[in-house]
Structures are given as C-alpha cells and as structure tokens.
Amino acid sequence: MMRSVLYSITSLVMRFLLRLFSTWRIDGLENVPRKGPLILVANHISNLDGPLVGASIPRHISFIAKHDVVKSLFGRLLRLYGVRAMNEDIRDASVFFWARELLERDGALLFFPEARRNLHGMQKATPGVALIATKTQTPVLPIALIGTEKFDPFWRVIMPKGEFTVRIGKPFLLPKVNGPIKRHQLELFGEMIMRRVAYMLPEQYRGAYDFQDLPLVDLCTDIQPETAVNRT
C-alpha cells in the first residue's frame, strides 16, 4: 500500500516538474498495454531515465537496478518506490523468481539492459531481461529515451530542464524455448530486444547497435496492445 501511494505521488510530482521545466514529448503512447504482464526495456543515459519512464507510462512500474544503486544513499527510498537490485550476470535466482511472481500478478517491470549509464551510445545488453522475457513469455515494450544525456547530477530531478523525448514501440514476444536456454540464445534474444530500441533512436545514440548495413535476425512476434495480456 505504502509503495503504491509513494509511486503515485512521485509520478504525479515528476509529471508536474517535467511540464514546468522541460519540453517533454511522448510518441507511441497508444502502444502501451493498459493491463496484463509487461516488460519495458529502454536505453540508459542518465539518472533521469527511470523517473522519466515512470512519468510517461500510464501504469505502476517496478524497476530492476544494479546492487550499488539500491545500496546508495537513496536506496531505501528507491526500494519503497519499487526498485529491486540485480547482479549484472544471470545467476541472481532471487531476482528471477521475484520478477516472475510480479509478472504473474500482471505487473509491469522496467529494465535498462545495458546495466549502466552510457553517454556515448548504447552498449551490449546483459542477458537478464532476455532470460525473464523468454521464460515467462511476457510481452516486451521497447522504449527509446532521447535528450537526457545532459541531465546529471541526480539532484537535478527537482528541476529537469531540457528537451526530452520518449518513443514507445510496439509490444512483442520473444521466441519460446523448450528446455534449458543456451548462453548464445540469450545473447541473440538480447540483441533482438536492443535493436528494436535502437531503431527508434537517432544514429548517434545507437552505439553497439548501429548495424545499418547488416541484416537483422528477428524471430520476435509482434502483438497488438489490446492482445498483449494474453501469453502464448
């Protein structure tokens, strides 16, 4: 109850501050499923990214973050807000089971698959989000964040000046894998996810996923937002 109230108040305040101090644009809001389990993935540039996504998406979102972020000075507040710590590898079983339980309750979960902020273009994704998405067969919603690279330090969240764009793609499902998932499969699935984010970004943001001259191996299944609550 406390977490839900805190999240609602914080998101309301963040929306007010964004409208007051910034030029804030959201494209593709119609692609957001309003109910059912959902995994959101976005590129990660600055400390504003999480609050910006939370203010832009009309759903209560839980977050996955690195251990050192959750153990910081703001860690207790972040945990109340809905942030859960995760290692950068895929061996943190407690986080997997926590995420699966949250998704089974029709929750929405935000990942920054790069696991760290990158001011000079996207970096390769860690495999955690691909593992959870394919094992639970939860719809994935790609989100591209533009303009937050000049935002740091964190205290500027109370005065978020700048021009910020949130682009939301269509939800999709990763392929279903029967049996154990191999590391190379997770890497391929992670690349599918991140390329869908990268294709909504300006070229200078794409970094490791700027593969304009290479064919995209994409085995994902696009789904409509109104059917995203159904798992296959």
Side-chain angles (χ1 to χ4, degrees), residues 129-140:
V129 62
L131 176 65
I132 293 173
T134 191
K135 277 292 189 181
T136 62
Q137 281 296 284
T138 297
V140 178

Side-chain angles (χ1 to χ4, degrees), residues 93-150:
S94 65
V95 173
F96 175 83
F97 291 120
W98 171 81
R100 187 174 67 178
E101 182 180 349
L102 185 146
L103 295 169
E104 287 175 348
R105 299 197 309 268
D106 289 345
L109 181 57
L110 172 64
F111 282 88
F112 295 110
E114 298 162 271
R116 57 176 59 85
R117 299 186 301 275
N118 295 295
L119 293 175
H120 305 293
M122 296 173 68
Q123 300 300 311
K124 287 291 187 178
T126 57
V129 62
L131 176 65
I132 293 173
T134 191
K135 277 292 189 181
T136 62
Q137 281 296 284
T138 297
V140 178
L141 188 73
I143 298 174
L145 303 177
I146 302 168
T148 63
E149 63 271 17
K150 298 179 181 180

Side-chain angles (χ1 to χ4, degrees), residues 1 21 87 112 128 191:
M1 181 64 178
F21 292 110
N87 293 321
F112 295 110
E191 182 160 312

Side-chain angles (χ1 to χ4, degrees), residues 26-129:
I26 306 173
D27 297 328
L29 197 58
E30 69 278 2
N31 292 325
V32 181
R34 297 307 198 263
K35 59 182 180 179
L38 186 65
I39 292 174
L40 305 93
V41 294
N43 58 307
H44 198 13
I45 309 172
S46 80
N47 287 318
L48 180 64
D49 297 340
L52 181 61
V53 173
S56 302
I57 301 297
R59 291 190 58 166
H60 186 138
I61 300 171
S62 295
F63 299 76
I64 295 287
K66 293 192 302 181
H67 273 287
D68 58 350
V69 173
V70 180
K71 291 181 179 179
S72 67
L73 178 63
F74 300 100
R76 182 173 176 80
L77 179 62
L78 290 173
R79 288 193 294 272
L80 286 173
Y81 188 67
V83 175
R84 176 67 183 249
M86 182 178 185
N87 293 321
E88 291 188 16
D89 59 29
I90 60 175
R91 294 173 289 184
D92 196 341
S94 65
V95 173
F96 175 83
F97 291 120
W98 171 81
R100 187 174 67 178
E101 182 180 349
L102 185 146
L103 295 169
E104 287 175 348
R105 299 197 309 268
D106 289 345
L109 181 57
L110 172 64
F111 282 88
F112 295 110
E114 298 162 271
R116 57 176 59 85
R117 299 186 301 275
N118 295 295
L119 293 175
H120 305 293
M122 296 173 68
Q123 300 300 311
K124 287 291 187 178
T126 57
V129 62

